[in-house]
Amino acid sequence: MVKVYASSVIEAPALRVWNHIRDFNALPKWVPVVESSRIEAGLPADKVGCIRNFTLREGGTIREQLLALSDYEYSCTYSILESPMGVIDYVATLKLTPVTDGNRTFAEWTAEFDCEPGRERELAESVGNGVFQAAFNNLKRQLAPQR
Amino acid sequence: MPKVVRSTIIDAPIEAVWAALRDFNAHDHWHPAVTESRIEDGRAPDELGAVRNFRLKNGAQLREQLLTLSDHDYSFTYCILDSPIPLVGYVATVTLKRVTDGNRTYWDWRSTFSTPPGMETMLARMVGEEVYDTGIEAIRALLAGSVSLPAATPARSGVVPRASLAPMPANAVVIAKHGGPEELVVRRTSVRPPGPGEARIRQTAIGVNYIDVYVRTGFYPMLTPPGTPGMEAAGQVIDVGEGVVGILPGDRVAYACPPVGAYCDVRTMKADQLVVLPADIDDETAAALMLKGMSAEYLLRRTHRVERGETVLVHSAAGGVGLLLCQWAKHLGATVIGTVGSADKARLAREHGCDVPIVHSQGDFVADVMEATRGRGADVIYDGVGGANLDRSFEALATCGHLVSYGEAGGPASAFDAHRMSSKSATVSRPVLFDYTAQPERLREMSANVFDLVRRRVLRVPVHQRYRLADAAEAHRALEGRATTGATVLLP
């Protein structure tokens, strides 16, 4: 079992960050590697169980299912149904926590999955850095206080 | 039931914060409100059920019991057993989490309790401010090194080391006077410890750029001899001075900024221009990439925002910045025309996204550009050559085009005639990287954009020349002789 953990601090209130990322269909807006996304079967994007079907900028399609969504905890859990990455039993959770000191947000993104032996490091790196950290960096840019 | 929550970010690794907080009996060392704490019945402070019996500075005596302790989750929970303050059923939890972005620590301290009616607000404020806020600020100050603790306490071992006061021996390339490559001579030097806002770095790779030649010859007045040239390097932080946040000893970092002084193995410099390197960007890549990559970033995304379908002309398309401009402009959907000096360089440029490499000797590229654009000219031209080349570039520019002069390798960019611009409604820019990177937030944004494209393999940074620090003169000869392709690095 590979575990990936990435966390960051976003200089914006948690509610504002949550409003920006809550939409399960909004990955293209804030995750740099994602080009376009749609929700299958015409379901609302906050219906638990819905499936997002998105394409990556470097090519490839991923299908992910929403397993849990909490407007109270500011958290979202989802699994990968299909992807070209070669991950098995992939479940990830994105969670925001308000930082009372400075009205900022502590953002955490965890993923657990299995894969072919020998690919653990490469996949952990591409998920942790290539996707999660890159998305955090983008969020910081998008939500940075206007100067 | 009042609930008090405080959370903050501490600029120290989680191990260091945990080392300071874990000992259930050590709060009299760090919390300003606590004196004389002891664990009852001779138990260990990390034994579940242990009771700490302590006094506050105002004289109140309290007993608190450890309920959970987890080195795995960096968390502990405790309750109040006896207190003269009416906090009934008080249970508090401290949790630390790693901020992987910057090696910092998120600290969450929360509790719930009951109070006699009417005292909720007052007691919640007291717990939040006098206990949690005060404690958090004390730990922050402790880990920032402004308070010293008795050295005997073993729990302090994880505390971040501060700058040692000793100068360190080092090797640096020093020029005694402006002149040719032969002026680049290695000397033994001594590097002072970092002052406020500074960091000391052990450098592992140094980027060589054409600007270093201007500095050496005195064409750019950035170095008064004797001095050390160089704008760009990567390495590891040895120690940091007072007031430095976000950069810790041991961090891998890189920079591309004035003042000059990068041609050395150990350097003390301002910390706010340092970028912490992601794990997947190695030192040599960073040293080869920071200045040239961020140059490509501002040229293509800021000075001019290249759009899909535009035609871009890149001079010196096989050079360090040129190859990056070709790859990135191609990625943005532009048609890329490049000028190069030889067939080999044309091949290299083509491999890096240049659609139409033009081999030319002396500025005879205009006709080729016009042919390639069916007489229109290029929408944006990146000219790092300067001199007479700029006039040729203007001839190759499309109507309403943008001529960007970003370097003067072939001679000064002469005064430009604004009247002449009107013949093409042209825009002319003469940007300088360091104006774009002066703000640390912008710098981090630009470097992150570059690293992101390296990670996605949009940008490849071929390091074709590697020299020892002692052979810096040879590196300059090759660069000035137009004998290099891709990036050049010095390895101390």
Side-chain angles (χ1 to χ4, degrees), chain B residues 172-354:
Chain B
V173 172
V174 178
I175 64 169
K177 61 179 199 304
H178 292 305
E182 69 281 357
E183 298 298 332
L184 299 167
V185 179
V186 168
R187 304 224 183 280
R188 293 290 291 170
T189 57
S190 166
V191 175
R192 62 180 174 77
E198 292 183 328
R200 185 156 53 178
I201 307 158
R202 182 171 304 285
Q203 304 194 137
T204 50
I206 300 156
V208 178
N209 296 283
Y210 213 91
I211 190 173
D212 303 341
V213 174
Y214 301 148
V215 167
R216 190 201 70 216
T217 61
F219 178 61
Y220 281 1
M222 298 170 75
L223 187 161
T224 307
T228 298
M231 317 290 301
E232 174 180 45
Q236 194 168 39
V237 175
I238 300 168
D239 44 14
V240 298
E242 291 299 321
V244 172
V245 293
I247 303 275
L248 293 164
D251 280 352
R252 289 197 316 120
V253 295
Y255 63 85
C257 62
V260 295
Y263 284 16
C264 59
D265 55 7
V266 178
R267 182 178 188 191
T268 293
M269 61 179 291
K270 294 282 281 180
D272 65 358
Q273 284 284 314
L274 296 175
V275 172
V276 177
L277 291 176
D280 53 357
I281 303 291
D282 63 60
D283 293 4
E284 199 176 274
T285 301
L289 184 75
M290 286 289 286
L291 194 142
K292 297 179 239 330
M294 292 196 298
S295 295
E297 204 267 4
Y298 84 81
L299 289 168
L300 296 166
R301 308 308 293 145
R302 297 173 197 269
T303 303
H304 183 93
R305 279 193 73 87
V306 169
E307 306 286 346
R308 183 172 295 275
E310 284 189 316
T311 299
V312 174
L313 172 61
V314 176
H315 287 298
S316 311
V321 177
L323 287 178
L324 292 171
L325 286 172
C326 289
Q327 296 173 76
W328 200 330
K330 184 70 182 169
H331 173 70
L332 291 169
T335 300
V336 183
I337 304 173
T339 65
V340 292
S342 71
D344 281 346
K345 290 184 175 184
R347 198 171 307 119
L348 186 70
R350 195 188 292 281
E351 283 166 12
H352 288 79
C354 181

Side-chain angles (χ1 to χ4, degrees), chain A residues 7-8 97-98 100-101 108 140, chain B residues 7-8 98-101 106:
Chain A
S7 56
S8 187
T97 309
T100 61
D101 163 24
E108 298 171 276
K140 286 195 262 186
Chain B
S7 54
T8 192
R98 198 183 294 279
V99 182
T100 58
D101 176 8
Y106 168 80

Side-chain angles (χ1 to χ4, degrees), chain B residues 30-43:
Chain B
W30 58 265
H31 201 297
V34 176
T35 63
E36 295 171 44
S37 179
R38 64 181 182 84
I39 300 285
E40 295 181 353
D41 303 328
R43 300 173 97 163

Side-chain angles (χ1 to χ4, degrees), chain A residues 87-108:
Chain A
V87 293
I88 304 155
D89 295 339
Y90 178 108
V91 176
T93 296
L94 174 61
K95 177 170 167 51
L96 308 179
T97 309
V99 179
T100 61
D101 163 24
N103 205 12
R104 296 171 286 171
T105 302
F106 176 55
E108 298 171 276

Side-chain angles (χ1 to χ4, degrees), chain A:
Chain A
M1 177 70 79
V2 182
K3 292 185 182 180
V4 178
Y5 178 77
S7 56
S8 187
V9 182
I10 316 287
E11 296 289 333
L15 179 60
R16 187 159 165 248
V17 181
W18 181 243
N19 284 337
H20 195 75
I21 66 173
R22 177 186 184 276
D23 182 352
F24 197 55
N25 195 29
L27 287 184
K29 185 171 80 177
W30 65 281
V31 178
V33 297
V34 176
E35 185 157 78
S36 63
S37 173
R38 66 183 177 84
I39 300 287
E40 295 184 357
L43 295 175
D46 53 4
K47 179 178 164 61
V48 173
C50 76
I51 294 167
R52 66 183 170 199
N53 186 318
F54 58 93
T55 56
L56 302 175
R57 283 188 198 283
E58 54 193 21
T61 296
I62 296 182
R63 294 176 70 232
E64 291 178 342
Q65 184 164 34
L66 183 62
L67 301 181
L69 183 70
S70 170
D71 281 332
Y72 178 66
E73 301 270 335
Y74 298 143
S75 76
C76 166
T77 299
Y78 58 93
S79 63
I80 289 184
L81 301 179
E82 278 179 50
S83 86
M85 295 151 61
V87 293
I88 304 155
D89 295 339
Y90 178 108
V91 176
T93 296
L94 174 61
K95 177 170 167 51
L96 308 179
T97 309
V99 179
T100 61
D101 163 24
N103 205 12
R104 296 171 286 171
T105 302
F106 176 55
E108 298 171 276
W109 211 333
T110 54
E112 291 190 3
F113 56 85
D114 285 317
C115 63
E116 265 177 45
R119 294 195 63 211
E120 293 89 349
R121 278 182 66 112
E122 167 213 346
L123 282 168
E125 177 60 29
S126 80
V127 168
N129 233 325
V131 181
F132 295 175
Q133 184 59 43
F136 285 150
N137 290 343
N138 206 35
L139 271 185
K140 286 195 262 186
R141 270 196 293 283
Q142 293 178 334
L143 299 175
Q146 299 300 314
R147 278 178 300 119

